[in-house]
């Protein structure tokens, strides 16, 4: 059996994409694969989906890609000749999957990553900003912060450091010393969450960052 890649794909809310109707649980196959033109396209890194399928007009699904496979040079987009459509996943689910992806592949001190549609801060005290009402800003590094314009979504990961500050065997880049307690998503509504204002998560609650 050839390589099978677990990835994530966005669709229009009626489960169409480029005029073709997809269904959950079904498998599809094409003869030609090219990252930009032919084949089925999805993203290994969950939040890369938000650069191609905007949250206000899309639904997201876990998928499995196989057959002939080509990968994109600029991000984790994958094109394949075969695809199996799995369960629907929420934006919060995409965020949780992105955190798991990051924990497996990237150290906590990774630099912030700014993209249209999805801005994310992975590093210690990182900052993420959503400059478009359909964008999502993700703060998942320890003590990271996020802000956005009115209508944007902010997502925060609640990390707990389990190592002792005085124990030389632990350091903040040691993945085993961290526990993910969960992630929270809020929308900048102008009342509870103010636009263009930095927020973070403290003890599981979203809090405005004091200057």
């Amino acid at each position: 059996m050839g390589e099978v890649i677990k990835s994530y794909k966005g669709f229009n809310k009626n489960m169409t994409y480029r005029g073709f109707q997809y269904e959950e649980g079904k498998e599809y196959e094409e003869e030609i694969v090219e990252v930009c033109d032919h084949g089925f396209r999805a993203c290994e890194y969950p939040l890369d989906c938000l650069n191609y399928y905007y949250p206000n007009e899309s639904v997201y699904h876990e998928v499995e890609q196989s057959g002939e496979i080509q990968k994109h040079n600029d991000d984790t987009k994958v094109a394949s000749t075969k695809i199996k459509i799995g369960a629907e996943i929420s934006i919060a689910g995409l965020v949780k999957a992105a955190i798991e992806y990051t924990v497996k592949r990237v150290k906590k001190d990774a630099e912030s990553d700014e993209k249209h549609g999805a801005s994310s801060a992975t590093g210690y005290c990182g900052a993420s900003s959503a400059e478009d009402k359909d964008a999502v800003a993700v703060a998942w590094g320890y003590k990271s912060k996020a802000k956005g314009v009115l209508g944007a979504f902010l997502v925060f990961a609640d990390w707990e450091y389990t190592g002792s500050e005085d124990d030389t065997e632990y350091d903040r880049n040691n993945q085993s010393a961290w526990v993910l307690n969960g992630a929270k998503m809020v929308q900048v509504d102008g009342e509870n969450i103010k636009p263009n204002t930095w927020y973070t998560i403290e003890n599981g609650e979203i809090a405005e960052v004091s200057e």
Side-chain angles (χ1 to χ4, degrees):
M1 184 177 178
E3 180 182 13
V4 176
I5 295 177
K6 179 183 177 181
S7 51
Y8 303 85
K9 181 172 178 60
F11 303 88
N12 296 322
K13 289 190 175 181
N14 60 359
M15 284 293 290
T16 61
Y17 178 71
R18 292 191 173 182
F20 185 81
Q21 181 71 58
Y22 290 85
E23 293 183 39
E24 184 175 319
K26 294 285 186 71
E27 296 185 45
Y28 303 91
E29 183 172 0
E30 283 191 3
E31 295 181 357
I32 303 173
V33 57
E34 291 180 14
V35 173
C36 294
D37 296 317
H38 300 285
F40 303 105
R41 287 166 294 282
C43 299
E44 287 187 272
Y45 176 57
L47 294 184
D48 278 344
C49 289
L50 302 178
N51 295 317
Y52 301 101
Y53 319 98
Y54 296 118
N56 65 325
E57 57 191 31
S58 306
V59 293
Y60 306 94
H61 280 255
E62 298 175 325
V63 299
E64 291 182 354
Q65 293 177 272
S66 59
E68 185 181 347
I69 290 172
Q70 286 190 6
K71 296 189 177 184
H72 200 279
N73 292 329
D74 296 332
D75 58 15
T76 66
K77 185 162 66 172
V78 176
S80 63
T81 53
K82 295 181 180 180
I83 193 169
K84 182 178 180 179
I85 312 301
E88 183 176 347
I89 186 169
S90 64
I91 293 178
L94 285 177
V95 171
K96 184 176 180 181
I99 293 169
E100 293 170 353
Y101 180 102
T102 303
V103 168
K104 290 179 181 178
R105 294 168 174 81
V106 184
K107 290 183 178 180
K108 292 289 186 305
D109 59 359
E111 295 180 355
S112 295
D113 179 23
E114 297 289 339
K115 298 177 182 178
H116 178 70
S119 166
S120 56
T122 58
Y124 176 75
C125 292
S128 173
S129 177
E131 305 297 338
D132 184 274
K133 67 179 180 63
D134 296 326
V136 178
V138 181
W140 70 49
Y142 182 62
K143 291 190 176 180
S144 290
K145 60 184 181 178
K147 69 177 181 179
V149 299
L150 191 66
F153 288 92
L154 311 179
V155 184
F156 303 86
D158 183 15
W159 291 100
E160 179 182 353
Y161 181 63
T162 60
S164 170
E165 299 289 348
D166 301 323
D167 189 345
T168 56
E169 293 184 4
Y170 278 101
D171 67 74
R172 291 193 178 277
N173 290 326
N174 183 355
Q175 295 176 6
S176 64
W178 292 90
V179 173
L180 176 62
N181 290 326
K184 285 194 172 184
M185 180 175 67
V186 294
Q187 188 173 24
V188 180
D189 59 6
E191 296 180 6
N192 296 318
I193 303 296
K194 295 181 288 188
N196 301 312
T197 302
W198 290 111
Y199 288 89
T200 189
I201 189 167
E202 296 178 354
N203 301 317
E205 299 298 329
I206 309 301
E208 187 174 336
V209 176
S210 57
E211 296 298 334

